[in-house]
Amino acid sequence: MAEELEEGRIKRINIEEKMKTAYIDYSMSVIVSRALPDVRDGLKPVHRRILYDMSNELNLYSDKPHRKSARIVGDVLGKFHPHGDLSVYEAMVRLAQEWSMRYMLVDGQGNFGSVDGDGPAAMRYTEARMRKIADEVMADIDKDTVDFRPNFDETIPEPTVLPTRIPLLLVNGASGIAVGMATNMPPHNLSEVLDAICAYIDNPEIEVSELLHYVKAPDFPTGGIVYGCEGVREAYETGRGRVIMRAKTEIEHTSTGRECIVVTEIPYMVNKAEMIRKIADLINEKKIEGIAYINDESDRNGMRIVMILKHDAVASVVLNNLYRMSAMQTSFPVNNIALVDGRPMLLNLRDLIRHFVEHRHEVVVRRTRYDLAQAEKRAHILEGLLIAVDHIDEVIRIIRGAQSPDEAKAALIERFGLSEAQAAAIIDMRLRALTGLERDKLKREYDELCKQIAYFKEVLDSLPMQMQIVKDEMLEIKEKYGDERRTEIVLSAEEFNPEDFYADEEMVITVSHMGYIKRTPLTEYRTQNRGGVGMKGSSTRDEDFIEHIYVTTMHNTMLFFTEKGRCYWLKVYAIPEGARASKGRAIQNVIQIEPDDKIRAYINVRRLDDKEYVNSNYIIMCTKEGVVKKTLLEAYSRPRQNGVNAITIREGDRLIEAKLTSGSSEVILAAREGKAIRFNEAGVRAIGRTGAGVKGITIEGDDEVVGMICVEKDVKEDILVVSENGYGKRTDLGDYRITNRGGKGVKTLQITEKTGKLIAIKAVTDENDLMIINRSGLTIRIPVSDIRVSGRATQGVRVINLRNNDAIASVIPVPKSEDEEPEAAASAEGATAENPAAENAAPEPENRNDNETITE
């Protein structure tokens, strides 16, 4: 028990009850007046007071000069927020930090801190004003759109809420710890939120699941990745959930060929310097293996944290450990608690949108009432002025005959039936209003006001018109301030079928020679007369070019085969999307292949869950030792994230090619010494995925297979062979007789010291170009049609001239370019700008043409 003095008497009270009521009062004060945002404008009292003071008290709109932060903080403290100056300054600073706010409301000048956790400069050094988007937050506040209340000392009114046109609670989020409850709301993309608001206005009965088509996931100011959608869906449907955030990374290579993980974006609210420090500690403590060096190379152009890996490290393994053990993966616990009519409530996505729309509707109605009242007040005055102008002589006589203004007003009211306001306006009227032009001006103004009054009354009488005004303002805001998402959405493997998110649209998959891959909607390409897909405009590196191109659909699957005999899967929708002119993304960043492995073949297949399809198609593989293996596609119909063994590779051997066949094609293998063998695919028995295969061609000594082609029946293709010294020819398929597999083959090119060894065998048509890559790195493109058809056992023709000691490294047929490339024609003739040294190549005998076929 305790005692309390009351009116000179001592009153005994229960201390437990007193503490309980006092604590409840305190907690409600914290909840309502400090820690939780209002659902309507999304602001806490301190932020609301800062913005109101900067706009209405200090006139610091976006088009006005900056003012010292100390001046702003002092004004807010003295007029509205009687708390610590540091609390006000920190709140204002956060409104100006691009890594804290998705859409900054304050334009700061000076040191406002950094993403490394550096604090801002003292308020006496920094300056601030409102950003342009903050002008929309304060729009129409002077039109009685919101309620006001006295400030703490009841000397100045302050708004209870701001009439914002921006849904700040959703786009900037909020966080706060009250007593017994807390709020933690993620930021979102303005364009997506406004689309959802418009959808709600069109259909107030819309469900949360339908709103998810517009608001897909949070959009953090620091970018990064939202990993998985289940927590996001739960947060939007219930108001509580858990969003997994990841850093955005790329796999690059140093000049010495070592792999490195480059972090370009980090999770929201993560201190970059602290994250790097903790990763370094994990490396030193041997908790994370495989990282040799870590450095922060961030500058004004963007974030860049480089982690160089050890030679034997696998980038995907290291990256997964970083996600598991460091702040490169964190979670954002969503707790959507906000004040609704002064009471804290847990809200889902639809509730947040509904309350904002109701607030905007109330603002529009109150603004319209205010504008109507102002228009009617002005029209009333104009009616009196027009009466006075029409009876000006009598008005002048009455005024001149009056002893005082009050007597004149009374006489005017009695004579013309005017109101007090009209009579006062006539008394104050200037003499210039008596001119004809001024009378016409008054009449035009009156007519215009009558139209506005009719419109305002129509709006007030029509709910659909009011909601249309709200929607039109949202679309206007989207046009002015909408932007693209910064945070990428990546579905986690264990979630529901991701195909539900992608329409099965046609896509073009392009893979460059250096291993850059992308998908592009087929609609971005121009249709050619040849029916192919033009490649002009693909922005590759100077030494790179498009090597493979596939037309497929979003639900199809790409198979990747490596020289170690591994197979990897990738759905088309999982391939990074890029514009037709973009370079694409390195394949090492997309699939988890070993550092010392290399992709040798790409196969595009239909749905792997189509049993009829996977049981009627085969994959044939070939190694450099002449081993071939045939496996039913069904064996590759169960994707695994880390890939599977497609063929057992013997020591010293490697996979060089893999083809998708129908089971009835013909296979041709060619060896470096100029021999080739042709046999029916039916001669190779289909075996399981882990088998090693059978002999396809017998090779001797240090000879090896350089290529394999599979030709389907009724397909007209020529056989192209090219030697390393620049000789090549096309031969009709019929010149190669069909034999049993395992033989030594027949001569496909007359190999001499002059021609060099066979380097490639390809199936081509006149609709192909040939990309020739020399060992020196030079790339030359020539039309296949420039190489004429000749016999199987001939030496061929000179395809290109080579520099001294240079040789052809590889040859790839590609779809013919839609536009003529001048350098290609020049290169086909042997020489010039791309190969200036060709002029110095060893001359041929004068009595022989370079393009003349040379027989045995």
Side-chain angles (χ1 to χ4, degrees):
M1 300 293 288
E3 297 179 342
E4 184 180 77
L5 188 65
E6 185 184 69
E7 298 180 1
R9 294 184 304 160
I10 295 176
K11 179 183 177 184
R12 297 176 69 82
I13 61 169
N14 187 314
I15 192 169
E16 182 181 346
E17 291 296 325
K18 187 65 177 178
M19 290 290 290
K20 186 183 296 183
T21 56
Y23 191 75
I24 289 174
D25 291 342
Y26 161 73
S27 63
M28 287 306 298
S29 174
V30 172
I31 290 168
V32 175
S33 302
R34 294 179 69 176
L36 298 186
D38 193 292
V39 72
R40 296 168 293 176
D41 62 3
L43 297 172
K44 299 180 188 178
V46 63
H47 300 123
R48 188 179 301 119
R49 287 163 176 167
I50 289 171
L51 293 176
Y52 179 70
D53 187 82
M54 291 179 74
S55 59
N56 281 49
E57 299 295 318
L58 299 177
N59 194 29
L60 292 179
Y61 282 95
S62 58
D63 57 346
K64 299 296 189 295
H66 292 80
R67 189 80 64 88
K68 280 288 184 185
S69 298
R71 173 73 172 86
I72 299 169
V73 171
D75 210 57
V76 173
L77 287 177
K79 293 179 179 178
F80 304 113
H81 199 71
H83 300 283
D85 59 347
L86 196 58
S87 66
V88 176
Y89 184 50
E90 287 179 350
M92 188 188 77
V93 164
R94 191 170 186 275
L95 294 177
Q97 292 177 335
E98 61 180 354
W99 60 91
S100 297
M101 305 295 288
R102 181 62 179 85
Y103 299 91
M104 295 177 288
L105 301 177
V106 171
D107 179 16
Q109 189 166 271
N111 176 14
F112 275 73
S114 75
V115 73
D116 287 324
D118 301 319
M123 66 181 80
R124 62 183 178 274
Y125 298 120
T126 61
E127 298 178 343
R129 65 179 177 188
M130 292 167 57
R131 283 189 172 268
K132 191 170 182 61
I133 195 171
D135 296 350
E136 307 291 348
V137 177
M138 305 303 303
D140 303 321
I141 196 170
D142 56 346
K143 293 188 175 183
D144 192 31
T145 50
V146 294
D147 294 332
F148 281 73
R149 66 185 173 203
N151 68 339
F152 64 91
D153 60 0
E154 299 188 355
T155 56
I156 303 174
E158 65 170 319
T160 58
V161 68
L162 298 183
T164 175
R165 295 182 182 181
I166 311 293
L168 290 175
L169 192 57
L170 275 166
V171 301
N172 272 339
S175 63
I177 301 174
V179 178
M181 64 183 66
T183 186
N184 203 34
M185 306 177 69
H188 293 84
N189 181 268
L190 179 62
S191 298
E192 293 180 0
V193 171
L194 293 179
D195 287 340
I197 289 173
C198 292
Y200 173 83
I201 293 173
D202 292 336
N203 176 23
E205 303 302 321
I206 192 170
E207 297 292 334
V208 173
S209 58
E210 297 174 82
L211 290 171
L212 289 176
H213 293 299
Y214 304 96
V215 183
K216 300 175 179 63
D219 188 25
F220 298 106
T222 53
I225 293 172
V226 168
Y227 183 68
C229 291
E230 193 58 41
V232 175
R233 181 184 293 273
E234 183 182 359
Y236 288 156
E237 290 180 344
T238 67
R240 280 199 175 97
R242 183 167 169 264
V243 179
I244 304 298
M245 302 179 294
R246 280 185 169 183
K248 187 173 288 187
T249 61
E250 295 178 359
I251 307 298
E252 296 183 2
H253 291 81
T254 65
S255 57
T256 59
R258 292 173 67 177
E259 283 189 316
C260 54
I261 297 173
V262 179
V263 179
T264 55
E265 296 172 6
I266 61 174
Y268 183 51
M269 301 301 291
V270 168
N271 183 316
K272 175 165 66 72
E274 186 66 23
M275 183 188 79
I276 295 172
R277 198 157 38 242
K278 289 188 176 180
I279 291 175
D281 291 341
L282 290 171
I283 296 170
N284 293 332
E285 295 167 6
K286 306 295 185 185
K287 292 182 178 178
I288 292 182
E289 301 283 351
I291 299 178
Y293 173 78
I294 181 171
N295 188 40
D296 185 3
E297 299 179 2
S298 306
D299 56 21
R300 66 181 63 188
N301 296 320
M303 186 178 297
R304 183 177 171 87
I305 304 167
V306 179
M307 288 172 269
I308 299 178
L309 305 185
K310 297 178 180 178
H311 286 291
D312 57 346
V314 179
S316 58
V317 174
V318 175
L319 192 55
N320 286 332
N321 284 328
L322 286 169
Y323 285 143
R324 183 171 58 89
M325 303 174 69
S326 76
M328 283 178 60
Q329 175 175 306
T330 61
S331 63
F332 188 99
V334 178
N335 193 23
N336 292 341
I337 291 181
L339 295 176
V340 180
D341 296 328
R343 301 184 62 180
M345 292 184 64
L346 181 67
L347 305 164
N348 63 22
L349 177 62
R350 184 178 178 276
D351 294 333
L352 292 169
I353 291 174
R354 174 171 60 85
H355 287 297
F356 176 75
V357 170
E358 289 173 354
H359 174 55
R360 281 306 304 167
H361 175 245
E362 182 183 0
V363 167
V364 168
V365 171
R366 292 181 63 161
R367 182 184 67 198
T368 305
R369 286 178 184 157
Y370 177 86
D371 290 339
L372 174 61
Q374 294 299 111
E376 288 178 335
K377 181 179 178 181
R378 178 60 180 164
H380 180 67
I381 299 297
L382 290 177
E383 287 173 355
L385 294 178
L386 289 172
I387 290 173
V389 172
D390 289 341
H391 302 83
I392 190 61
D393 293 335
E394 188 174 359
V395 169
I396 293 173
R397 181 179 58 76
I398 291 173
I399 294 174
R400 290 183 63 184
Q403 296 298 316
S404 67
D406 291 340
E407 184 180 333
K409 281 195 287 187
L412 289 173
I413 292 171
E414 181 180 354
R415 168 64 184 84
F416 297 108
L418 304 175
S419 67
E420 183 79 22
Q422 287 174 322
I426 292 171
I427 295 295
D428 296 335
M429 185 171 60
R430 296 183 180 183
L431 290 175
R432 71 178 186 185
L434 304 179
T435 63
L437 287 176
E438 286 295 321
R439 189 194 185 288
D440 292 342
K441 184 177 177 181
L442 292 175
K443 186 67 171 68
R444 284 196 302 272
E445 183 183 356
Y446 179 73
D447 292 341
E448 185 64 31
L449 281 173
C450 288
K451 293 179 183 176
Q452 291 182 13
I453 290 169
Y455 170 72
F456 292 145
K457 288 181 176 179
E458 185 181 4
V459 169
L460 292 173
D461 291 338
S462 172
L463 179 60
M465 286 188 68
Q466 297 165 9
M467 299 310 296
Q468 187 61 43
I469 291 173
V470 174
K471 182 178 178 180
D472 290 343
E473 289 180 350
M474 295 299 100
L475 294 174
E476 180 185 347
I477 293 296
K478 179 183 176 183
E479 181 68 25
K480 290 169 68 175
Y481 304 105
D483 58 1
E484 297 295 324
R485 283 190 66 87
R486 296 183 187 176
T487 302
E488 184 181 344
I489 303 170
V490 175
L491 299 172
S492 61
E494 63 273 10
E495 289 186 335
F496 42 83
N497 186 6
E499 289 184 5
D500 295 341
F501 290 88
Y502 302 98
D504 199 17
E505 299 171 342
E506 288 190 311
M507 290 283 159
V508 175
I509 306 298
T510 55
V511 185
S512 77
H513 178 68
M514 296 184 67
Y516 287 85
I517 189 170
K518 73 174 187 293
R519 63 175 166 88
T520 307
L522 182 61
T523 52
E524 285 199 21
Y525 285 83
R526 300 187 298 272
T527 302
Q528 303 174 41
N529 294 332
R530 294 185 292 276
V533 177
M535 295 182 300
K536 272 293 184 182
S538 293
S539 175
T540 54
R541 297 181 177 180
D542 293 341
E543 66 274 16
D544 203 3
F545 59 88
I546 299 300
E547 182 172 332
H548 302 278
I549 187 164
Y550 307 92
V551 178
T552 181
T553 63
M554 286 286 272
H555 293 179
N556 281 15
T557 304
M558 292 285 292
L559 300 183
F560 302 84
F561 293 86
T562 72
E563 62 182 24
K564 285 188 175 183
R566 301 281 293 174
C567 173
Y568 297 86
W569 293 263
L570 197 64
K571 287 296 237 180
V572 170
Y573 58 72
I575 296 173
E577 184 173 2
R580 186 165 62 91
S582 67
K583 180 179 69 173
R585 192 171 179 185
I587 292 177
Q588 289 90 339
N589 293 348
V590 182
I591 59 176
Q592 300 177 5
I593 66 172
E594 296 179 7
D596 57 344
D597 207 355
K598 184 177 181 181
I599 294 175
R600 289 292 179 181
Y602 309 84
I603 295 178
N604 169 43
V605 298
R606 291 210 311 261
R607 306 274 304 249
L608 291 175
D609 54 3
D610 185 341
K611 290 187 178 180
E612 182 181 351
Y613 176 73
V614 298
N615 283 291
S616 60
N617 286 275
Y618 300 85
I619 290 178
I620 290 187
M621 288 163 277
C622 170
T623 74
K624 76 180 184 71
E625 297 293 334
V627 174
V628 293
K629 178 187 175 183
K630 176 180 173 182
T631 307
L632 201 61
L633 180 59
E634 193 276 337
Y636 303 95
S637 62
R638 291 168 289 278
R640 297 182 189 173
Q641 184 176 4
N642 295 324
V644 296
N645 282 327
I647 180 174
T648 300
I649 300 291
R650 298 184 179 94
E651 187 176 353
D653 201 0
R654 61 182 172 84
L655 183 73
I656 61 170
E657 192 62 83
K659 300 287 186 182
L660 182 68
T661 70
S662 63
S664 59
S665 64
E666 294 176 353
V667 180
I668 300 179
L669 304 178
R672 281 176 57 83
E673 295 296 337
K675 292 294 186 70
I677 190 169
R678 174 187 178 188
F679 55 88
N680 286 320
E681 178 188 344
V684 182
R685 181 173 58 88
I687 61 176
R689 187 170 49 76
T690 57
V694 295
K695 183 178 292 188
I697 185 173
T698 298
I699 57 175
E700 299 174 344
D702 59 353
D703 197 6
E704 64 181 52
V705 175
V706 295
M708 175 185 75
I709 58 177
C710 296
V711 182
E712 295 289 341
K713 291 181 179 178
D714 303 324
V715 175
K716 176 60 178 173
E717 289 182 311
D718 294 329
I719 308 303
L720 172 75
V721 290
V722 179
S723 70
E724 59 187 357
N725 288 348
Y727 286 82
K729 63 185 176 68
R730 283 195 295 164
T731 305
D732 190 270
L733 177 62
D735 284 5
Y736 293 83
R737 70 177 185 271
I738 299 178
T739 64
N740 294 325
R741 66 165 180 82
K744 294 183 178 180
V746 297
K747 187 176 292 186
T748 185
L749 184 71
Q750 176 66 29
I751 298 297
T752 66
E753 184 177 346
K754 182 176 182 179
T755 62
K757 303 295 185 183
L758 189 67
I759 195 70
I761 180 169
K762 303 291 179 182
V764 297
T765 69
D766 284 344
E767 298 304 313
N768 291 126
D769 282 349
L770 209 59
M771 299 297 298
I772 301 174
I773 305 138
N774 296 345
R775 290 176 184 169
S776 62
L778 183 68
T779 301
I780 301 171
R781 182 176 193 144
I782 64 172
V784 167
S785 55
D786 285 1
I787 305 172
R788 71 169 181 260
V789 178
S790 55
R792 174 177 57 80
T794 59
Q795 182 173 294
V797 298
R798 184 184 293 277
V799 178
I800 61 168
N801 287 332
L802 297 171
R803 297 177 181 177
N804 293 329
N805 299 322
D806 202 357
I808 295 177
S810 62
V811 176
I812 301 102
V814 297
K816 182 172 286 188
S817 175
E818 181 178 359
D819 301 312
E820 183 70 17
E821 296 189 53
E823 67 269 22
S827 301
E829 294 185 4
T832 64
E834 284 203 55
N835 192 358
E839 296 176 1
N840 300 322
E844 293 295 309
E846 295 181 1
N847 60 348
R848 189 171 71 221
N849 189 314
D850 278 347
N851 287 328
E852 180 183 349
T853 302
I854 306 169
T855 65
E856 294 181 66

